[in-house]
Amino acid sequence: MKLPKAVLGAVLVGLAVQ
Amino acid sequence: METAPRICSAVACNLDADILAAVYPLLEEGRVEALEWAFDALYWAEQVPEWFEALLQAYAQAGRLIGHGVFFSLLSGRWTPEQQQWLQDLRQVASRYQFDHITEHFGFFTGQNFHHGAPLPIPYSAAALRIGQDRLLRIADACRCPVGLENLAFAYALDEVRRHGEFLDQLLQPVNGFIILDLHNLYCQLHNFEVPYEELIALYPLDRVREIHISGGSWEDSALTPARRIRRDTHDEAVPDEVFELLRLTLPRCPNLKYVVLEQLGPGLRTEASRLRFQADFGRMEALVQPQRAGLAAGPGNAFRPPLAPLTAPAAEDGQLHAQQRQLSDILETAGSYEEVQRRLHASALAGTDWRVESWAPHMLETAVNIARKWKQ
């Protein structure tokens, strides 16, 4: 399933602090 | 919105940095067709981070988010305030996220406190059936979507292994529920009880299988029988070849299958090598799932919709079962030796009952002690 780029970007930023 | 594939290749994904780091490349490539979330691991959190919320909602809005509960303790003899609270929390989380289905585990938790201890099996008795059926209806009432139950990896005796599928079927009938067939759990039983796959799989109601789990595990040497190794479902290693072979054999036998889920826990995904292996396992799973879609009807024949009748009676309980569970937990957690476990069990309220403690396999009783003590710490 293709995810919106905004969701992927948010996950990437979240991963940096999680 | 994309139409969901007839069978989705999915991952178990929680708010865990190591899992997410392993899964992220698959998300980026658009290969994760559905997401399974252990929703009750976050019941304690004041707020799910916005970025994780966005990920969950992307799958929920596509109708591809499935919830996997861990801590309900479905078959404990006593109905507790914690279980009531769990249902209230589920009602709240299900109103926030549109789950395609919700699942829980077979068994009851050892330990005196809810949320601690290990889940262990119980006798396939009328009391257990009544309690399990009642609680599955309560889960459906809270989440308002299909409800399923996962087969357990652990068993005390071969007879219990043979009857597990039939008992799951009976538990699920009133709620029109489905089975998560965990193939690593099945692998544990095939190995630990030396049962052929064809013999055991024939005893499961495979038309009830809507979801399949695959995962890895570990080996433990038996101190009682040194030549023997016990297979345990610890979810901390890559998926073994044997489980992929079980997946290949089982996929064509499940006409109502909708999800195949790869599970691995964060502690097993801390290195780059382990993350690459996880991604390779996902690719191997995908390659087995994709050919199965051809020739299938657009949707499963059974959508497993629950009846959703109003629940007016108080929650089912059984005082005798509760007392037996407490006694068993105490013996497993405190006995000083295997011989003491045996002696206390045969002098306990479980002796001569549906628990059939007289026929428990020694190497599995030894494993039960190890599990109970691990989770007591």
Side-chain angles (χ1 to χ4, degrees):
Chain A
M1 183 175 109
K2 291 286 182 195
L3 287 169
K5 284 186 176 173
V7 172
L8 285 168
V11 171
L12 204 54
V13 171
L15 260 178
V17 297
Q18 180 72 21
Chain B
M1 192 181 294
E2 296 171 51
T3 304
R6 174 63 173 76
I7 305 173
C8 290
S9 294
V11 293
C13 186
N14 298 316
L15 182 56
D16 181 293
D18 296 309
I19 294 174
L20 280 158
V23 169
Y24 187 81
L26 301 171
L27 294 171
E28 199 173 35
E29 292 166 8
R31 291 165 62 193
V32 179
E33 294 165 338
L35 209 63
E36 179 170 89
W37 176 39
F39 58 90
D40 61 355
L42 280 184
Y43 272 1
W44 54 267
E46 287 168 2
Q47 197 170 4
V48 174
E50 275 182 28
W51 59 272
F52 193 63
E53 165 95 2
L55 178 65
L56 294 175
Q57 288 294 6
Y59 280 94
Q61 287 161 16
R64 305 193 204 180
L65 179 68
I66 52 180
H68 193 46
V70 175
F71 297 111
F72 185 56
S73 196
L74 183 84
L75 294 168
S76 52
R78 179 161 291 170
W79 178 250
T80 64
E82 290 87 352
Q83 285 167 311
Q84 188 63 51
Q85 184 62 50
W86 189 95
L87 287 177
Q88 287 173 17
D89 290 339
L90 172 59
R91 192 179 299 275
Q92 200 166 29
V93 83
S95 68
R96 186 177 182 88
Y97 304 98
Q98 187 182 331
F99 290 107
D100 195 38
H101 68 225
I102 291 288
T103 54
E104 245 296 347
H105 294 80
F106 182 88
F108 81 99
F109 273 86
T110 60
Q112 299 299 317
N113 300 315
F114 190 77
H115 283 205
H116 289 270
L120 289 174
I122 66 166
Y124 302 159
S125 64
L129 186 61
R130 181 173 57 86
I131 286 172
Q133 289 177 341
D134 175 75
R135 291 180 188 170
L136 286 167
L137 287 167
R138 289 174 195 281
I139 292 175
D141 182 63
C143 67
R144 323 297 286 183
C145 65
V147 170
L149 208 50
E150 181 176 337
N151 58 309
L152 195 60
F154 181 84
Y156 292 109
L158 178 57
D159 179 61
E160 187 186 339
V161 169
R162 291 185 194 281
R163 296 166 58 217
H164 194 45
E166 180 191 8
F167 194 67
L168 286 172
D169 191 38
Q170 292 173 1
L171 280 168
L172 291 162
Q173 278 172 14
V175 78
N176 189 29
F178 63 90
I179 289 175
I180 301 184
L181 186 61
D182 187 307
L183 290 177
H184 190 271
N185 289 359
L186 194 78
Y187 175 53
C188 289
Q189 299 201 330
L190 296 175
H191 172 83
N192 294 335
F193 290 95
E194 299 173 325
V195 191
Y197 166 80
E198 292 293 345
E199 186 180 318
L200 190 54
I201 203 70
L203 299 171
Y204 274 79
L206 296 178
D207 58 328
R208 279 204 189 270
V209 175
R210 176 177 160 103
E211 182 178 344
I212 284 177
H213 274 178
I214 62 168
S215 65
S218 55
W219 297 102
E220 180 175 89
D221 292 327
S222 167
L224 275 180
T225 45
R228 185 145 211 160
R229 289 195 311 166
I230 311 299
R231 183 68 184 180
R232 290 181 55 170
D233 189 50
T234 43
H235 291 204
D236 50 0
E237 294 287 342
V239 181
D241 290 344
E242 292 89 341
V243 172
F244 278 116
E245 177 61 9
L246 294 179
L247 179 62
R248 186 186 70 77
L249 292 169
T250 308
L251 278 169
R253 304 176 189 217
C254 302
N256 293 307
L257 182 64
K258 194 168 180 185
Y259 299 98
V260 181
V261 180
L262 173 62
E263 295 183 296
Q264 193 167 340
L265 288 170
L269 292 168
R270 286 180 178 150
T271 66
E272 186 58 26
S274 64
R275 291 170 186 177
L276 289 171
R277 180 67 193 268
F278 178 88
Q279 291 152 20
D281 280 353
F282 186 85
R284 202 169 164 186
M285 181 180 85
E286 267 181 324
L288 287 168
V289 167
Q290 284 171 356
Q292 290 301 319
R293 296 170 181 165
L296 289 173
N302 188 346
F304 298 104
R305 288 274 158 211
L308 298 182
L311 295 168
T312 52
E317 295 188 283
D318 189 284
Q320 184 180 40
L321 180 63
H322 171 72
Q324 291 168 337
Q325 289 172 338
R326 293 275 65 81
Q327 196 168 12
L328 174 60
S329 299
D330 181 58
I331 292 169
L332 294 177
E333 291 176 353
T334 64
S337 66
Y338 174 78
E339 291 70 26
E340 186 186 342
V341 170
Q342 282 280 30
R343 183 176 52 74
R344 287 173 63 183
L345 264 182
H346 287 82
S348 75
L350 287 78
T353 69
D354 289 338
W355 287 84
R356 304 184 189 185
V357 296
E358 297 78 10
S359 65
W360 287 3
H363 65 289
M364 296 312 292
L365 180 54
E366 175 191 35
T367 303
V369 170
N370 293 340
I371 292 171
R373 292 185 182 180
K374 171 179 177 178
W375 295 110
K376 190 190 177 198
Q377 289 166 0

